[in-house]
């Protein structure tokens, strides 16, 4: 994107999600008005009645694809977007609602709704990248506002965004936290999880639960082996990998290798 | 500050003759996505439907077989705007099932965490989602051109809530410190001290906010609602209390499901809640204020009086003023809680998992949030029920529109549309919660 040519047009789209990642954008309190001035926000229904049309220079997509309608809609958005950025665990990995992918989703609907035939939903919850090519992803449940600001600044100035790709352990060590896995055999997902949150759970003495999803070279099955050695039961092991990024392939692999 | 002319008056709307259809395909400035369809014939509403196309995420289904402790973090993912509400209702319900007693300082800290969410959520709704309707702007970004200091005040208030959230919970959205039995980690007194100065500013800013929004033009509209909220003998309700209503309901939370019913209607992926005997009811700031205003601390009570709020407040458009009073309450209460805080001896009470059922209701920023969990002897969830505030208000919102729209049907379609949206936003609806919403369509029939 060439700087200074024009203010890039931005759209913020929602699929199945909790709205938390979009809210993270509004949570950039100190920088919000500056960002809103540097780009041309054409579509952001959570914040504005101005419902503009594409094409968009940048489309931020929150949420996973769970309905036929949404499967079509993501194709339309991709066609209108120069750069498409998946925003948060639902968009990058299918989110917590991807737990249906291992179950009979019809039965799930019957559990929740009195009249299941009123409900139209796909059998699976899948990340955006299973439907259309994406350009960038911001990890996390929810995303970090510093990462959002970084990607916006990078795109505005025409450089590559610098986003974390190492394991959470790197961030945790830098903070000087005591290692929960080594020192107290807590089932910490940190070694398999992508950095970016600031290691907030270990800083509170709580094992990482993997809300940023697996990092690129994560060996989740090896971590599962370690948990097993520390006495974790097979169902608990499966649950540990099946949360907000359950459908990310590394976590999926670890959870499917569990003997049940 | 003078409010601008009422919204849309400046827009050129096509005058209608005979019949029309009002459609808002995407109702903006709400959390999640919804749509409103109104079919008009002459001066009469033929049909009115608040559609909730937000995809279902089926939380109650996949909670089965999870550890009860996990419900605290999993249900937070129902809503990124009010995750603390979900965490609190879940933790309290499970603690009730397992008979866990909570240390008074842990309770105080939970109340502080909840206040933080109220501050963030109320500041967002008042200034970013609702005020633009009264001032005639499409959004807060547009509003900032003329109302820069006010929008900056909103951002600073939001940031205040978020800062408390980060100190207590590690991050603003889906905080990580709360757990069944207490907290994973509690702050020291020194961690909380730096919040005091900003909270003192926040209290003043919240009072300013109430005075500002009280000058907005309010449609002359009020209804005889049945207000439902938690009621507590000593305090403005957040985490605990009995369920009370303006028509005399006074229930232990256990009895919630005997009196309240969820209905499934075709046009909505969110269930509609009704009172078994009497139909739709109203939860949220108006309900809380009308049932509990005597429990407000002095400054919040004073600003409520200054704004002329006398219970029962029955004009739903004035909810924005009540929300500002609650914003002041949340700041004032935070100051009190921090002033009296001593770190608990144990951040988390020890407990035994056992079979049982536990329920809890807490006051989310948008109103009463009910959770029920049935747990087996190993601590796994057998079944659950979650009734979010927006699901309880959905039927009420439709009923409000049936009552309100006839007052404005001689206006151009564009104006009817905007006014309908404004009336919906009175409830700060959160569609992500409700489906665990908004587009407006008004159609005139020939």
């Amino acid at each position: 994107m060439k700087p200074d040519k024009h203010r890039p047009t931005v759209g913020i789209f929602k699929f199945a999600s909790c709205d938390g990642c979009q809210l993270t954008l509004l949570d950039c309190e100190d920088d919000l008005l500056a960002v809103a001035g540097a780009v041309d926000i054409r579509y952001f229904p959570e914040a504005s009645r101005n419902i503009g049309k594409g094409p968009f220079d940048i489309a931020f997509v929150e949420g996973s694809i769970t309905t036929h309608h949404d499967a079509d809609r993501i194709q339309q958005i991709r066609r209108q977007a120069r750069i498409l950025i998946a925003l948060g665990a639902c968009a990058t990995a299918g989110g917590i609602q991807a737990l249906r992918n291992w179950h009979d989703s019809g039965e799930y609907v019957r559990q929740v709704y009195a009249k299941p035939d009123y409900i139209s939903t796909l059998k699976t919850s899948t990340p955006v990248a299973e439907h259309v090519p994406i350009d960038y992803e911001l990890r996390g449940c929810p995303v970090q506002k510093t990462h959002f600001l970084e990607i916006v600044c990078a795109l505005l100035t025409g450089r590559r965004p610098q986003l974390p790709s190492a394991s959470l352990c790197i961030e945790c060590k830098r903070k000087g936290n005591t290692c929960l896995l080594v020192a107290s055999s807590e089932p910490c997902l940190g070694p398999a999880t992508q950095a970016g949150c600031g290691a907030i759970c270990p800083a509170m003495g709580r094992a990482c639960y993997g809300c940023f999803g697996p990092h690129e070279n994560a060996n989740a099955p090896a971590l599962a082996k370690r948990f097993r050695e520390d006495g974790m039961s097979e169902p608990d092991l499966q649950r540990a990998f099946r949360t907000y990024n359950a459908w990310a392939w590394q976590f999926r692999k670890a959870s499917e290798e569990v003997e049940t | 500050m003078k409010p601008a002319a009422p919204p849309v008056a400046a827009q050129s709307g096509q005058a209608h003759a005979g019949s029309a259809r009002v459609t808002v395909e995407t109702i903006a400035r709400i959390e999640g996505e919804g749509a409103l369809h109104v079919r008009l014939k002459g001066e009469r509403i033929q049909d009115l439907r608040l559609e909730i196309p937000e995809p279902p995420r089926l939380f109650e289904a996949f909670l089965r077989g999870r550890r009860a402790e996990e419900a605290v973090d999993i249900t937070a993912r129902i809503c990124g705007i009010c995750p603390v509400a979900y965490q609190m209702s879940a933790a309290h319900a499970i603690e009730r099932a397992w008979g866990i007693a909570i240390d008074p300082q842990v309770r105080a800290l939970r109340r502080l965490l909840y206040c933080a969410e109220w501050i963030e959520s109320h500041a967002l709704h008042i200034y970013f989602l609702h005020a633009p309707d009264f001032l005639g702007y499409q959004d807060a970004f547009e509003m900032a051109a003329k109302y820069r200091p006010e929008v900056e005040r909103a951002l600073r208030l939001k940031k205040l809530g978020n800062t408390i959230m980060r100190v207590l919970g590690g991050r603003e959205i889906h905080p990580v410190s709360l757990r069944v039995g207490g907290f994973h980690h509690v702050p020291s007194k020194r961690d909380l001290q730096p919040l005091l100065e900003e909270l003192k500013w926040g209290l003043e800013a919240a009072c300013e906010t109430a005075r500002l929004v009280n000058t907005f033009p309010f449609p002359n509209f009020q209804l005889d609602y049945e207000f439902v909220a938690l009621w507590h003998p000593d305090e403005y309700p957040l985490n605990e209390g009995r369920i009370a209503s303006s028509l005399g309901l006074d229930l232990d939370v256990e009895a919630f499901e005997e009196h309240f019913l969820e209905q499934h209607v075709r046009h909505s992926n969110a269930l509609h809640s009704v009172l078994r005997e009497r139909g739709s009811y109203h939860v949220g700031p108006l309900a809380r204020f009308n049932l509990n205003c005597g429990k407000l601390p002095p400054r919040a009570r004073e600003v409520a009086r200054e704004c002329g709020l006398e219970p029962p407040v029955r004009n739903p458009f004035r909810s924005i003023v009540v929300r500002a009073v609650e914003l002041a309450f949340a700041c004032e209460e935070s100051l009190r809680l921090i002033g009296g805080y001593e770190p608990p001896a144990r951040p988390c009470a020890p407990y035994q998992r056992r079979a049982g059922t536990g329920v809890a209701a807490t006051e989310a920023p948008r109103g009463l949030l009910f959770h029920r969990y049935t747990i087996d002897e190993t601590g796994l969830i057998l079944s659950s029920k979650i009734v979010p505030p927006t699901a309880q208000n959905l039927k009420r919102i439709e009923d409000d529109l049936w009552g309100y729209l006839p007052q404005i049907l001689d206006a151009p379609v564009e104006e009817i549309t905007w006014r309908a949206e404004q009336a919906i936003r009175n409830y700060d609806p959160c569609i992500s919660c409700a489906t665990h919403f908004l587009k407006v369509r008004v159609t005139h029939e020939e």
Side-chain angles (χ1 to χ4, degrees):
Chain A
M1 192 166 306
K2 295 226 174 68
D4 299 324
K5 274 253 165 170
H6 72 306
R7 293 194 305 157
T9 52
V10 172
I12 294 150
F13 300 88
K14 178 184 158 63
F15 290 79
S17 68
C18 79
D19 270 42
C21 291
Q22 294 188 58
L23 181 65
T24 302
L25 315 190
L26 293 174
D27 279 351
C28 300
E29 287 102 359
D30 293 336
D31 308 291
L32 184 64
L33 295 178
V35 171
V39 299
D40 177 7
I41 302 174
R42 288 271 176 86
Y43 186 91
F44 189 6
E46 178 154 315
S48 177
R49 288 189 84 232
N50 281 326
I51 309 282
K53 287 200 175 0
F56 302 95
D57 291 314
I58 311 170
F60 288 97
V61 175
E62 175 195 86
S64 67
I65 312 301
T66 60
T67 64
H68 296 284
H69 174 72
D70 280 355
D72 290 340
R73 192 159 62 98
I74 191 64
Q75 299 290 342
Q76 290 165 22
I77 291 167
R78 176 69 269 190
R79 278 198 289 275
Q80 294 180 61
R82 210 135 70 84
I83 296 169
L84 192 150
I85 302 170
L87 205 61
C90 296
T92 64
I96 184 82
Q97 57 275 16
L99 293 176
R100 75 173 71 166
N101 300 0
W102 287 276
H103 296 271
D104 172 358
S105 64
E107 194 271 337
Y108 266 29
V109 170
R110 288 192 295 280
Q111 273 295 317
V112 179
Y113 292 97
K115 295 172 182 159
D117 45 319
Y118 289 2
I119 299 291
S120 161
T121 182
L122 292 169
K123 288 187 168 60
T124 54
S125 166
T126 43
V128 174
E130 283 194 26
H131 297 261
V132 295
I134 62 169
D135 299 287
Y136 298 98
E137 58 177 32
L138 291 185
R139 293 291 197 86
C141 182
V143 294
Q144 266 278 18
K145 62 183 173 193
T146 50
H147 298 170
F148 167 73
L149 291 171
E150 164 60 19
I151 208 160
V152 170
C153 289
L155 293 176
L156 282 171
T157 52
R159 65 169 169 81
R160 259 168 74 158
Q162 311 214 341
L163 295 165
S165 58
S167 88
L168 181 75
C169 297
I170 306 284
E171 219 165 29
C172 198
K173 294 287 167 296
R174 274 199 205 117
K175 270 199 147 176
N177 296 331
T178 303
C179 179
L180 292 163
L181 185 65
V182 171
S184 44
S185 295
E186 290 280 332
C188 181
L189 286 180
T193 299
Q194 182 172 302
C197 66
I200 50 175
C201 287
M204 292 194 176
R206 174 184 191 182
C208 164
Y209 62 85
C211 70
F212 272 63
H215 66 87
E216 226 175 2
N217 305 312
N219 188 347
L223 185 62
K225 186 165 166 276
R226 168 67 197 253
F227 289 173
R228 219 173 256 126
E229 287 161 9
D230 285 337
M232 190 185 252
S233 75
E234 294 297 304
D236 276 335
L237 234 168
Q238 189 173 67
R239 281 188 285 264
F241 286 99
R242 285 195 185 165
T243 61
Y244 317 98
N245 291 277
W247 199 242
W249 73 267
Q250 296 96 326
F251 284 4
R252 190 162 89 205
K253 188 162 188 281
S255 79
E256 285 174 353
E257 282 175 12
V258 162
E259 297 153 26
T260 47
Chain B
M1 169 146 332
K2 277 213 181 86
V8 256
Q11 288 198 358
S12 64
Q14 64 181 77
H16 67 267
S19 308
R21 203 175 273 270
V22 174
T23 306
V24 181
E25 285 291 348
T26 299
I27 305 181
R29 284 193 265 117
I30 60 166
E31 293 94 9
E33 296 190 351
L36 176 69
H37 299 273
V38 185
R39 209 152 38 83
L40 304 172
K41 193 163 191 177
E43 297 294 285
R44 286 191 45 215
I45 302 172
Q46 294 288 98
D47 189 27
L48 186 155
R49 280 178 298 124
L50 200 52
E51 264 184 21
I52 309 295
E54 173 97 13
R57 293 168 69 211
L58 311 174
F59 275 82
E60 283 104 330
F62 61 67
L63 278 167
R64 289 173 306 162
R66 302 298 300 209
R67 292 213 163 274
E69 288 95 332
E70 290 185 290
V72 174
D73 290 306
I74 290 178
T75 58
R77 267 66 184 188
I78 291 173
C79 179
I81 325 292
C82 56
V84 170
Y86 284 87
Q87 295 188 338
M88 291 292 179
S89 285
H92 283 290
I94 294 156
E95 285 158 4
R96 191 155 166 163
W98 290 347
I100 305 170
I102 292 301
D103 181 292
Q105 286 299 340
V106 166
R107 181 182 186 277
L109 208 53
R110 285 183 170 182
R111 205 166 154 84
L112 180 61
L113 184 63
Y114 223 143
C115 282
E117 179 161 286
W118 276 34
I119 295 170
E120 195 283 328
S121 178
H122 278 7
L124 176 76
H125 187 260
I126 293 167
Y127 284 100
F128 275 78
L129 308 184
H130 212 190
D133 288 330
F134 292 93
L135 297 172
Y137 295 102
Q138 302 292 324
D139 53 51
F141 304 118
E142 242 180 36
M143 197 172 109
K146 193 159 167 241
Y147 290 87
R148 182 95 187 184
E150 286 75 12
V151 173
E152 283 174 354
R153 179 163 70 206
L155 289 167
R156 190 169 160 190
L157 276 163
K158 242 176 74 53
K159 190 179 174 184
L160 168 61
N162 278 335
T163 304
I164 305 173
M165 196 85 104
R166 210 167 41 246
V167 170
L168 297 186
R171 64 181 169 199
E172 298 88 342
I173 299 166
H174 306 326
V176 300
S177 62
L178 193 78
R179 56 166 296 174
V180 169
F183 283 96
H184 288 282
H185 171 86
V186 292
S188 67
K189 281 177 87 156
R190 275 181 59 186
D191 291 336
L192 299 183
Q193 290 306 313
L195 299 169
L196 289 173
E197 273 311 299
E198 192 63 6
L199 274 166
K200 285 177 194 154
W201 171 85
L203 176 54
E204 295 310 314
C207 294
E208 278 296 303
T209 301
R211 287 181 208 111
L212 167 70
V213 298
N214 198 42
T215 64
F216 289 172
F218 297 103
N220 186 12
F221 175 70
Q222 53 182 31
L223 286 173
D224 272 319
Y225 297 107
E226 177 157 10
F227 293 106
V228 175
L230 286 185
W231 179 90
H232 190 280
D234 309 317
E235 54 193 30
Y236 203 74
L238 280 171
N239 265 344
E240 55 191 69
R242 292 175 67 78
I243 294 173
S245 93
S246 51
L247 291 181
L249 219 57
D250 175 23
L251 308 170
D252 185 276
V253 178
E254 295 275 359
F256 178 86
E257 289 169 273
E258 290 164 29
H259 295 264
F260 297 85
L261 186 72
E262 285 186 298
Q263 293 174 336
H264 191 184
V265 292
R266 185 181 288 277
H267 58 273
S268 166
N269 287 350
L271 301 170
H272 282 192
S273 292
V274 289
L275 260 160
R276 260 179 223 279
E277 299 86 15
R278 295 186 289 272
S280 67
Y281 59 100
H282 187 133
V283 301
L286 276 191
R288 280 191 296 257
F289 177 84
N290 287 333
L291 294 166
N292 296 280
C293 62
K295 313 281 167 30
L296 284 170
R299 285 301 306 280
R301 203 181 318 164
E302 188 187 308
V303 75
R305 196 180 318 119
E306 217 179 301
C307 294
L309 293 176
E310 284 286 341
V313 181
R314 293 189 293 121
N315 182 339
F317 293 91
R318 286 181 70 82
S319 62
I320 190 168
V321 187
V322 175
R323 219 168 259 118
V325 168
E326 288 197 336
L327 186 59
F329 153 74
C331 292
E332 199 173 0
E333 180 69 358
S334 299
L335 283 164
R336 184 187 73 80
L337 291 163
I338 293 174
Y341 177 67
E342 290 291 335
R346 274 191 314 221
C348 182
Y351 59 82
Q352 292 268 305
R353 298 183 181 115
R354 62 181 195 216
T357 294
V359 300
T362 69
E363 284 288 347
R366 285 152 201 83
L368 194 78
L369 169 61
F370 175 83
H371 284 215
R372 168 175 51 72
Y373 299 93
T374 300
I375 304 164
D376 75 8
E377 63 287 353
T378 62
L380 300 180
I381 296 171
L382 292 170
S383 67
S384 62
K385 180 165 180 171
I386 296 163
V387 186
T390 297
Q392 300 179 71
N393 276 336
L394 277 179
K395 177 94 170 56
R396 190 58 261 165
I397 298 173
E398 282 190 353
D399 290 353
D400 271 20
L401 290 168
W402 279 101
Y404 175 58
L405 290 184
Q407 287 190 8
I408 54 167
L409 285 185
D410 50 357
V413 169
E414 284 80 0
E415 181 166 349
I416 300 175
T417 303
W418 196 342
R419 295 257 193 215
E421 288 179 47
Q422 182 182 9
I424 293 166
R425 288 191 277 266
N426 286 335
Y427 289 83
D428 187 8
C430 178
I431 306 310
S432 305
C433 286
T435 53
H436 25 202
F437 120 72
L438 267 151
K439 310 179 185 181
V440 181
R441 185 198 311 245
V442 178
T443 24
H444 276 283
E445 278 184 353
E446 295 307 321

